[in-house]
Amino acid sequence: MKTHIVLLGPPGSGKDTQGKILSCKLGIPLISSGEALRTEIENGSEIGLEFEKLIARGALVPDEVMFEFFTTILSRYNLSEGFVLNGFPRTLKQAEFLSGYLKEVDCDVNCAIYINVPDTEIIKRICDRLLCGNCGAVYNAYLNPPKNDSICDRCGAPLQRREDDEEQVVLKRLEVYHNETAPLIEFYKLAGVLFEVDGVGDIGSVTQRLLEVIND
Ligand code: AMP
């Protein structure tokens, strides 16, 4: 079983949802850069305010800032025991940084999974996305709708939309993804650890495809 996993794919390809499921099933931590940034924003720190402005317009946090911030996050985990990374790396520089960081703790990425979902499907999905601000559950009006339109099935808290899920911002995030993040597919292919999975279909089917790759 492969346990040093990076999830790649455009925003809305299911990395959050699948990352949570994989983390539970495999018993390894999910480390999500987007979640970590949003937590920092909620904490109301000065740097959080900067993150908020960048995220709201669909831009990336600059690499150097991200290295410092994410090193603190990574240092909380025993990475050699396994991880599912979601949202980091997002640029070639970040991928190189991650390789160097992992080398220091005597491990490496052994499975980078590219969840392939076409842009047309992404726009449909993200614009219908709902999140629970309390427990973090993710819903989609057509893929996995909540039982009640505005209430979380799991904890009963009100559901919200992400500020950066507005269509104009989604288009910007997709553009950034194609320019900055898609080249990582080639990076991990060259490293011999790239696996591609079709991300279209219901959540359970995509999980099955991911597990086949991980368990192979
Ligand atoms: P996500 O939840 O992964 O979709 O991330 C939401 C937003 O956080 C992105 O659109 C970026 O603005 C920012 N972000 C998340 N991860 C990174 C990263 N590795 N590098 C730079 N910005 C990031």
Side-chain angles (χ1 to χ4, degrees):
M1 186 174 89
K2 304 177 189 84
T3 51
H4 294 63
I5 301 166
V6 163
L7 295 180
L8 296 173
S13 56
K15 300 189 300 297
D16 276 341
T17 305
Q18 297 296 342
K20 282 179 191 141
I21 297 172
L22 292 178
S23 160
C24 250
K25 284 192 183 291
L26 307 175
I28 50 178
L30 171 67
I31 312 174
S32 161
S33 55
E35 276 306 320
L37 292 166
R38 283 186 287 276
T39 302
E40 190 66 32
I41 293 171
E42 276 160 28
N43 290 344
S45 67
E46 211 169 300
I47 189 93
L49 280 174
E50 294 307 312
F51 293 159
E52 190 170 23
K53 287 185 213 150
L54 291 163
I55 292 176
R57 60 183 170 87
L60 292 184
V61 173
D63 285 334
E64 299 302 325
V65 179
M66 204 60 207
F67 294 158
E68 197 179 331
F69 174 73
F70 211 57
T71 297
T72 315
I73 305 290
L74 290 174
S75 68
R76 296 178 190 154
Y77 297 90
N78 187 349
L79 296 173
S80 56
E81 286 182 3
F83 53 80
V84 180
L85 267 173
N86 168 23
F88 192 98
R90 237 180 174 94
T91 64
L92 279 173
K93 273 196 174 168
Q94 291 183 12
E96 280 154 8
F97 171 86
L98 179 66
S99 291
Y101 186 94
L102 292 177
K103 208 178 245 174
E104 301 250 312
V105 291
D106 233 11
C107 64
D108 205 352
V109 171
N110 59 14
C111 182
I113 310 182
Y114 165 42
I115 306 179
N116 188 354
V117 178
D119 284 7
T120 43
E121 167 93 6
I122 292 294
I123 294 164
K124 205 163 34 152
R125 278 188 188 187
I126 300 194
C127 296
D128 290 331
R129 182 153 73 174
L130 288 166
L131 302 173
C132 175
N134 182 46
C135 73
V138 184
Y139 300 90
N140 181 283
Y142 86 105
L143 274 176
N144 67 326
K147 290 193 185 86
N148 176 320
D149 276 359
S150 55
I151 303 285
C152 178
D153 292 352
R154 215 156 68 182
C155 73
L159 296 176
Q160 312 162 341
R161 286 182 52 74
R162 255 171 66 170
E163 210 184 321
D164 61 343
D165 278 353
E166 296 308 323
E167 190 166 351
Q168 283 317 306
V169 183
V170 172
L171 293 176
K172 174 69 187 169
R173 285 162 65 200
L174 270 174
E175 183 193 323
V176 169
Y177 166 77
H178 286 295
N179 291 337
E180 304 284 345
T181 312
L184 297 186
I185 296 168
E186 198 54 36
F187 176 92
Y188 285 113
K189 200 182 273 177
L190 285 173
V193 294
L194 196 268
F195 302 86
E196 181 171 335
V197 158
D198 179 5
V200 179
D202 61 78
I203 292 173
S205 312
V206 177
T207 305
Q208 270 320 107
R209 291 172 207 151
L210 290 166
L211 287 173
E212 273 165 29
V213 161
I214 290 165
N215 289 323
D216 190 25

